[in-house]
Amino acid sequence: MKYNKQVSDNPMQSSMICIGLLKCLLTVVMWNGIICTDLCKTYKNADVYIKAVILLKTRSECLKEYGSDYFINRMVAEGKLFRVDKGIFSEKEHVPELALLSYKYPKAIITLDTAFYLYGFTDEVPDVCTMATKREAAPISDKRVKQIFMPEELLGQGRTTMEYKGYDIQIFDRERMLIELVRYKSKLPFNYYKEILGNYRRILPQLNTEKIRNYAVAVPKSDKVIRTLRTEVY
């Protein structure tokens, strides 16, 4: 193969080509197990892993990258960086609210009506994002968030990551949300509960029954939860 002599003889141009090729290699990761750098997140369940550069950054991360508030503000003024929330910056001008909230409160997990909507069990769009935290957590003073508290040992059960409009958000899996539906039955509008329950029945073969069983025995008033599952779900 012949190369352009003018390019190959120029050390600066050659270096730039190498850097460009390296960036390309960091963009696509094949199934053979190449490890991601901590600058990227991996989207799984595909023959080819497409890696997306992390778009959200805290002020401290920006300071490490750009050196000072002066350079951060200059990046913002040039439209290369966007201030999307207090102390949070993005390389994109518009960030989905749920993605922003999940990033801003990384120890909180999306649950109840917000999770039911995201999983497609209802088409009723929630007014706020419902997020679960451990009992000892500080209150979240954010009008966009409805915070519920639970024992720390329950917070990790069924916690998973969902890709939402190109961003990773923390949410309980579908099996855990079935348990939450039963637990909060008396606090939910009757028709809303029936809608979600009916949609769960339609996908029962897709659910992991062992997970459901394990989650059911771990929550408070497990006998009541298990009885409701047997009489209304299965």
Side-chain angles (χ1 to χ4, degrees):
M1 180 181 292
K2 294 182 178 180
Y3 295 90
N4 186 306
K5 188 176 188 300
Q6 183 179 0
V7 174
S8 61
D9 287 344
N10 188 322
M12 179 63 70
Q13 289 182 338
S14 298
S15 298
M16 293 303 294
I17 291 172
C18 291
I19 292 172
L21 290 172
L22 180 59
K23 287 183 178 179
C24 289
L25 288 173
L26 287 173
T27 302
V28 180
V29 181
M30 305 306 291
W31 183 263
N32 61 7
I34 297 176
I35 300 174
C36 300
T37 67
D38 58 2
L39 293 176
C40 300
K41 292 183 179 179
T42 303
Y43 292 96
K44 298 183 179 179
N45 301 323
D47 292 335
V48 178
Y49 281 6
I50 306 298
K51 298 169 69 180
V53 176
I54 297 174
L55 299 174
L56 294 173
K57 305 173 184 179
T58 62
R59 176 177 172 272
S60 60
E61 289 171 334
C62 287
L63 285 173
K64 288 179 182 179
E65 184 171 351
Y66 304 119
S68 69
D69 283 319
Y70 169 79
F71 288 110
I72 293 175
N73 291 332
R74 192 169 80 174
M75 292 289 287
V76 171
E78 293 175 356
K80 297 177 181 178
L81 195 66
F82 301 92
R83 189 177 282 104
V84 293
D85 206 293
K86 184 177 180 180
I88 301 178
F89 299 82
S90 172
E91 294 173 0
K92 284 189 174 182
E93 184 175 3
H94 302 291
V95 178
E97 186 171 278
L98 291 181
L100 178 59
L101 293 174
S102 190
Y103 181 84
K104 187 173 184 177
Y105 308 109
K107 295 183 179 180
I109 307 174
I110 294 173
T111 186
L112 293 178
D113 50 352
T114 309
F116 293 138
Y117 174 74
L118 290 174
Y119 280 123
F121 292 124
T122 178
D123 56 6
E124 187 173 321
V125 182
D127 296 326
V128 294
C129 179
T130 304
M131 308 184 84
T133 64
K134 63 180 182 179
R135 284 176 176 168
E136 300 79 13
I140 297 176
S141 300
D142 192 323
K143 63 182 181 180
R144 300 167 295 181
V145 176
K146 177 182 178 182
Q147 182 181 13
I148 65 170
F149 299 91
M150 63 178 58
E152 187 171 4
E153 59 270 19
L154 293 182
L155 202 61
Q157 293 197 13
R159 180 172 184 162
T160 189
T161 301
M162 171 190 283
E163 182 191 333
Y164 175 74
K165 297 183 179 180
Y167 296 82
D168 285 345
I169 61 174
Q170 298 300 306
I171 191 171
F172 287 123
D173 61 26
R174 295 184 300 177
E175 290 83 358
R176 173 61 191 275
M177 288 312 306
L178 175 58
I179 302 302
E180 296 305 289
L181 176 67
V182 171
R183 290 180 64 207
Y184 283 84
K185 175 183 176 180
S186 62
K187 298 180 181 180
L188 299 174
F190 178 76
N191 290 335
Y192 181 76
Y193 172 79
K194 284 296 184 181
E195 176 194 9
I196 297 171
L197 183 65
N199 286 324
Y200 259 112
R201 285 173 176 163
R202 294 185 184 94
I203 66 160
L204 274 179
Q206 303 173 26
L207 300 180
N208 186 319
T209 55
E210 184 177 356
K211 277 186 177 182
I212 295 173
R213 183 167 55 251
N214 291 339
Y215 296 157
V217 298
V219 298
K221 300 180 181 179
S222 59
D223 291 343
K224 182 179 179 181
V225 170
I226 293 171
R227 186 166 57 252
T228 303
L229 288 171
R230 287 173 178 171
T231 57
E232 298 190 19
V233 180
Y234 295 105

